[in-house]
């Protein structure tokens, strides 16, 4: 899934030489939690709406540079990791940088949430399986081969955790032949942490994303 098409530039980034009143005026017109700040052509962080309204009138963003939040994602960041970044930084705007760390624009939370809601990983019925294996021992091609060789379909998978030298991988498969899929994973030395045909794992994912929707109702 290519999410780069969702990078937008509806609001130009602020310059560090701008007075804080510039950011205050923009925040008063929009529902954004943060605004990107540039120093010439270099992205240096975001100013939050809460902070902007606390700064003294007359000072510039350079004067309050210490208060900027320096979060961002790259163009190749997976959409699930982008969604996680929104949650971690409690924001509804996420700056995007390319491989050369040049600012390209930003994602809006509502667009990424829509991807999440429309993903087959979420809406297709099936089983969610959480696997664990050595970080250097697993491969997505092997996981796919195991699932498809048992006449099941793969709806999606992602890295859901690290623990020392182990990696957890969450996969969603069609409901057909789930037991055979699990048995094959075990034969290939994957540890099955959990397997839920009722999609309780996805229910948790939905619950975690619910609070993000508060930004969409501001």
């Amino acid at each position: 899934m290519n999410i780069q098409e969702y990078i937008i530039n509806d609001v130009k980034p602020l310059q560090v030489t701008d007075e804080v009143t510039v950011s205050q005026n923009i925040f008063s017109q929009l529902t954004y939690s943060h605004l990107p700040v540039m120093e010439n052509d270099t992205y240096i962080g975001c100013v939050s709406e809460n902070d902007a309204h606390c700064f003294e009138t007359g000072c510039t963003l350079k004067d309050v540079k210490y208060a900027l939040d320096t979060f961002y994602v790259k163009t190749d960041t997976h959409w699930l990791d982008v969604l996680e970044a929104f949650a971690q930084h409690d924001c509804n705007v996420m700056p995007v940088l390319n491989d050369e760390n040049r600012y390209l624009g930003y994602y809006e939370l509502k667009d990424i949430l829509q991807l999440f809601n429309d993903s087959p990983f979420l809406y297709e019925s099936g089983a969610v399986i959480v696997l664990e294996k050595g970080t250097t021992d697993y491969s997505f091609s092997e996981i796919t081969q195991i699932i498809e060789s048992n006449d099941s379909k793969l709806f999606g998978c992602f890295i859901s955790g690290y623990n020392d030298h182990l990696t957890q991988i969450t996969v969603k498969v069609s409901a057909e032949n789930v037991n055979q899929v699990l048995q094959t994973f075990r034969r290939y030395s994957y540890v099955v942490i959990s397997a839920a045909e009722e999609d309780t794992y996805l229910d948790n994912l939905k619950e975690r994303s619910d609070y993000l929707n508060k930004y969409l109702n501001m």
Side-chain angles (χ1 to χ4, degrees), residues 52-135:
H53 290 302
C54 294
F55 296 145
E56 294 183 5
T57 302
C59 66
T60 67
L61 291 172
K62 186 174 184 179
D63 297 325
V64 294
K65 192 175 177 180
Y66 63 88
L68 300 182
D69 299 317
T70 55
F71 58 83
Y72 60 88
V73 295
K74 293 296 193 74
T75 50
D76 60 352
T77 303
H78 191 276
W79 68 267
L80 281 169
D81 295 321
V82 173
L83 184 61
E84 181 180 1
F86 275 114
Q88 288 177 339
H89 298 287
D90 200 21
C91 63
N92 61 6
V93 169
M94 182 59 60
V96 184
L97 308 185
N98 65 11
D99 291 338
E100 298 175 348
N101 290 323
R102 294 186 65 84
Y103 176 83
L104 299 179
Y106 58 90
Y107 293 126
E108 284 193 27
L109 174 61
K110 63 181 179 64
D111 292 331
I112 305 303
L113 278 177
Q114 190 60 50
L115 282 175
F116 181 69
N117 292 332
D118 292 344
S119 169
F121 192 94
L122 193 66
Y123 67 73
E124 290 285 357
S125 61
V128 176
I129 304 170
V130 181
L131 305 166
E132 186 174 73
K133 199 173 184 181
T135 299

Side-chain angles (χ1 to χ4, degrees), residues 8-28:
I8 58 177
N9 281 284
D10 292 348
V11 177
K12 292 183 179 180
L14 300 166
Q15 284 293 327
V16 73
T17 53
D18 289 337
E19 292 191 1
V20 296
T21 51
V22 176
S23 64
Q24 292 169 350
N25 290 336
I26 296 175
F27 281 126
S28 67

Side-chain angles (χ1 to χ4, degrees), residues 132-191:
E132 186 174 73
K133 199 173 184 181
T135 299
T136 60
D137 299 328
Y138 79 93
S139 72
F140 285 115
S141 60
E142 181 179 66
I143 291 171
T144 302
Q145 185 272 328
I146 289 172
I147 293 168
E148 293 181 345
S149 67
N150 285 286
D151 296 322
S152 188
K153 295 180 180 179
L154 175 65
F155 293 135
C157 62
F158 64 95
I159 301 300
S160 52
Y162 293 98
N163 182 13
D164 295 328
H165 300 296
L166 299 174
T167 297
Q168 286 190 5
I169 308 101
T170 298
V171 301
K172 186 171 185 182
V173 302
S174 57
E176 299 88 3
N177 306 316
V178 173
N179 286 334
Q180 293 94 316
V181 170
L182 295 177
Q183 292 171 14
T184 306
F185 274 127
R186 293 188 176 104
R187 286 201 302 271
Y188 279 77
S189 300
Y190 287 85
V191 176

Side-chain angles (χ1 to χ4, degrees), residues 38-50:
M38 308 284 286
E39 189 163 21
N40 297 320
D41 294 327
T42 303
Y43 168 75
I44 60 172
C46 282
V47 58
S48 73
E49 180 183 17
N50 291 337

